[in-house]
Amino acid sequence: MKQLSHSMRRSTALTLVLASLAMAVAARGATPGSLMEAETGGPAPQPVAGPMPDGRPLAEAGAEPAPPPAAPSVSDSAVVDPAAPALAAGNDRAIEPPANAFESLRDAIVASLKGNPDIQISLARQDDAHYAVDAARAAYLPHLDLTMGYGREFAKAGTATETWRNRMEGAITLSQTVWDFGVTTNDIARARASYRSAQWATREKIESISYDITSAYIGVLRAEELVDLANQEIDADKRVLRMVTVQKDLGLTTPADVSRAQAQLDGAQSQLLDRQSALQQARLNYRRLTGHLPAHAVPLSAAVAEMPANAQDAVDLIDSRSPRMAQAVEDRRSLEKQYASQNGTFFPRVSLMLQGNHKYDVMGKTGMADDARAMVQISYNLLNGGADRATRNRIAARMREADYELDRRRREVEQDIRTDFTALDAARAKIATIDAEITSAQRVVDLYRQQFREGKRTVFEVLDSEKTLYGAKASQVVNRAAMNLAEYRVLQKLGGLFDLVSSHEPLPPLATPAPVKDSAADHHTKAPKAPKPAKQPKPAKTRKKA
């Protein structure tokens, strides 16, 4: 009996040793070294230290975005050409970027600005306002006019004999305005204000398009990170499933535990499909704005250095940096100068005139006659039916409208900035909470794995702890994207978003020639002729009775 008991104890010990070896072999077959470290008490994966994917906080992120760690260096990788066509010739499928390419956000924004009709319209209006300044300044310069005429003339003075002669005359006149009581000065100031308003309107559209593209870019970056997290979660679930399967084969657990681990894996794979679909939608949205599919998305420049300290500081910058407010201010200033110019029409205009005349047979047979004069002229409109006063009243009404428009825009921009800062403060406040949650969840996962190996925890508790960990990491990705979007919205309202994403590189010329239709095609293309009206049937003739 003693020998039998001793043999049974040796058999039980041998069985436990074989089970441990099988679990170790299964762990090595799953993912090289990953589960073995967790089972043997090795180093556990560390949580993300900061909001950036590489663990850095936003304040330490460089101004120039770097490629992702897994991607090749910039010198060895291709850069996506944003001007390349998005569709292949004769094919409706979009062209995929090279596998080793990274996405240049600034080049994509510049290419989109050049191809955007709204930007080109704004640039054309800006040029129009610029030339209007030259037109207003022309009133300062002298005007030179030449008049010539030749024809038949009938002349009869008193009782003199009437004459029919060929008349010829010419005159050259040089005029220079000396004083017009501020009409020209205010016209130039009005034109300059209109030009600055057009420039701010163009800047506002540039900031709006830059934000749309940047938001789509952040959406792609967020979706890619969520897909990576889903793949990591699937790998972790597969390791747990293999471990539970080995234990079930050794009789250390039940088939229900295997089914529970398999269900967890199936749920993670379903989540991966959803996130891959969201990534494809984000890439298509980026393509809709830029004309091409994005390559590898990289973290953007940090906005902390460009951001105001708080909402009140941002509100104080509205009057000096907001393109929307600056446009309304310049519109109001333009009307003010127009009103001052209109007041000058109630006063006389003083000018200098130099004129030379050449005449031949003018008012009869007078022969050749030349004369010249230099005169100071005063022109004064005494009555024009009240048109000048009515015009001035109309400008005053527009000024009152501009005052209310200025107040309305300021309220809207201030409300948007305060709303964005509220979302930004909430996202910043959650950073420490989410980081602490990830740290705690990582410790729980490591502890539960150790206790599961010792038989103190069930597979359900291990799976739930891992799900909590990856859920916290996903929350970190979403919160970081929300924080970046709130910062970029504030910069957009203050006119500094494009400078941030372009690392303060100057904006290149954006004006492009307008599309011209083929004149030959238009010449040969004829409009279809209108169909001829159908003939009405003639009424039948009836015979008259005799």
Side-chain angles (χ1 to χ4, degrees):
M1 293 297 293
K2 292 182 179 181
Q3 294 179 356
L4 180 60
S5 177
H6 183 66
S7 300
M8 292 178 64
R9 284 197 299 267
R10 291 181 58 186
S11 177
T12 303
L14 182 60
T15 303
L16 292 176
V17 171
L18 291 176
S20 300
L21 291 175
M23 290 169 58
V25 172
R28 286 183 177 275
T31 300
S34 58
L35 187 59
M36 177 58 69
E37 290 178 355
E39 290 298 321
T40 58
Q46 297 297 324
V48 179
M52 302 299 288
D54 55 358
R56 296 176 299 161
L58 282 173
E60 298 179 2
E64 192 70 25
S73 62
V74 178
S75 58
D76 298 332
S77 59
V79 179
V80 174
D81 184 7
L87 297 178
N91 192 353
D92 292 337
R93 293 187 304 173
I95 299 178
E96 287 287 345
N100 61 337
F102 68 96
E103 185 69 15
S104 174
L105 181 59
R106 181 187 183 277
D107 293 343
I109 291 177
V110 171
S112 300
L113 293 176
K114 289 182 178 180
N116 191 289
D118 292 337
I119 293 295
Q120 299 303 322
I121 292 173
S122 295
L123 291 174
R125 291 175 179 173
Q126 182 176 320
D127 292 341
D128 178 28
H130 174 70
Y131 294 131
V133 177
D134 297 336
R137 192 183 294 114
Y140 272 143
L141 303 178
H143 292 184
L144 183 63
D145 299 317
L146 176 64
T147 304
M148 300 182 67
Y150 179 81
R152 295 287 291 176
E153 177 192 76
F154 168 78
K156 185 176 184 303
T159 60
T161 306
E162 63 182 26
T163 59
W164 289 87
R165 307 288 297 176
N166 291 331
R167 170 173 173 162
M168 181 179 66
E169 61 181 337
I172 184 169
T173 305
L174 177 66
S175 60
Q176 172 66 56
T177 300
V178 178
W179 186 251
D180 58 1
F181 290 89
V183 173
T184 301
T185 303
N186 289 303
D187 282 344
I188 295 175
R190 176 188 59 80
R192 286 175 175 171
S194 298
Y195 175 53
R196 289 192 296 269
S197 175
Q199 287 179 315
W200 282 114
T202 304
R203 183 67 185 190
E204 182 184 7
K205 291 185 180 297
I206 289 175
E207 291 293 324
S208 177
I209 294 175
S210 299
Y211 174 75
D212 292 339
I213 297 177
T214 304
S215 176
Y217 187 88
I218 292 177
V220 173
L221 178 62
R222 176 184 58 198
E224 288 179 348
E225 292 179 349
L226 290 177
V227 168
D228 291 340
L229 283 178
N231 286 321
Q232 295 176 18
E233 186 175 359
I234 288 176
D235 293 339
D237 291 341
K238 286 181 178 179
R239 291 194 296 269
V240 174
L241 178 61
R242 291 192 182 97
M243 182 174 60
V244 175
T245 302
V246 171
Q247 290 187 348
K248 192 263 296 183
D249 294 340
L250 296 175
L252 302 178
T253 185
T254 63
D257 294 337
V258 178
S259 301
R260 178 65 178 87
Q262 183 63 47
Q264 179 86 3
L265 177 60
D266 294 340
Q269 291 176 342
S270 177
Q271 177 180 252
L272 174 62
L273 294 176
D274 293 338
R275 291 182 178 180
Q276 288 176 342
S277 176
L279 173 60
Q280 185 62 20
Q281 293 176 8
R283 299 179 78 240
L284 292 177
N285 184 40
Y286 186 86
R287 176 199 170 201
R288 177 181 62 85
L289 296 172
T290 61
H292 68 279
L293 290 173
H296 290 296
V298 297
L300 301 179
S301 302
V304 176
E306 306 289 339
M307 286 288 296
N310 49 55
Q312 187 57 45
D313 291 346
V315 170
D316 294 338
L317 294 175
I318 290 178
D319 294 331
S320 59
R321 291 183 54 181
S322 173
R324 182 172 173 81
M325 275 295 299
Q327 181 185 357
V329 169
E330 295 299 338
D331 289 341
R332 173 64 171 78
R333 184 175 291 124
S334 176
L335 289 172
E336 181 181 349
K337 297 301 180 180
Q338 186 179 2
Y339 185 86
S341 175
Q342 184 63 25
N343 282 333
T345 61
F346 292 95
F347 299 93
R349 180 188 297 265
V350 182
S351 61
L352 176 65
M353 190 266 289
L354 302 177
Q355 187 180 63
N357 296 294
H358 173 77
K359 302 177 182 178
Y360 184 80
D361 283 349
V362 176
M363 297 302 296
K365 188 177 180 181
T366 58
M368 185 179 299
D370 297 326
D371 66 88
R373 70 192 71 176
M375 305 174 64
V376 176
Q377 293 181 331
I378 297 178
S379 59
Y380 193 11
N381 180 263
L382 298 178
L383 182 65
N384 66 348
D388 291 339
R389 188 178 300 275
T391 301
R392 187 178 63 177
N393 292 337
R394 291 180 59 194
I395 299 174
R398 295 174 187 170
M399 290 174 61
R400 190 171 68 253
E401 177 189 359
D403 289 336
Y404 285 108
E405 175 67 20
L406 190 62
D407 182 66
R408 182 176 67 87
R409 289 195 180 188
R410 198 182 198 287
R411 292 184 181 185
E412 291 176 351
V413 175
E414 180 177 353
Q415 178 64 27
D416 292 341
I417 287 179
R418 292 190 183 277
T419 302
D420 295 335
F421 257 95
T422 301
L424 179 59
D425 292 340
R428 288 174 175 175
K430 290 193 295 185
I431 292 179
T433 303
I434 294 177
D435 290 344
E437 182 182 1
I438 292 176
T439 303
S440 301
Q442 186 66 58
R443 286 199 297 264
V444 169
V445 168
D446 297 337
L447 181 61
Y448 277 21
R449 286 177 179 174
Q450 177 68 24
Q451 293 177 349
F452 177 75
R453 184 175 64 250
E454 297 173 356
K456 298 179 181 179
R457 293 289 177 180
T458 65
V459 67
F460 304 99
E461 293 173 320
V462 174
L463 293 174
D464 289 342
S465 64
E466 290 189 347
K467 192 172 186 63
T468 301
L469 173 62
Y470 287 103
K473 290 184 177 181
S475 298
Q476 184 186 53
V477 172
V478 174
N479 183 70
R480 181 171 61 246
M483 182 181 65
N484 291 339
L485 286 176
E487 291 175 340
Y488 295 149
R489 280 196 300 269
V490 173
L491 292 178
Q492 177 206 351
K493 300 297 188 304
L494 298 179
L497 177 58
F498 180 81
D499 294 336
L500 175 69
V501 299
S502 62
S503 300
H504 296 277
E505 187 176 347
L507 187 67
L510 298 177
T512 56
V516 180
K517 293 183 179 180
D518 189 359
S519 58
D522 293 342
H523 178 73
H524 292 292
T525 303
K526 297 181 179 179
K529 296 182 178 180
K532 295 182 179 180
K535 295 183 178 181
Q536 299 292 334
K538 295 182 179 180
K541 296 183 179 180
T542 57
R543 295 183 179 180
K544 295 182 179 180
K545 294 184 179 180

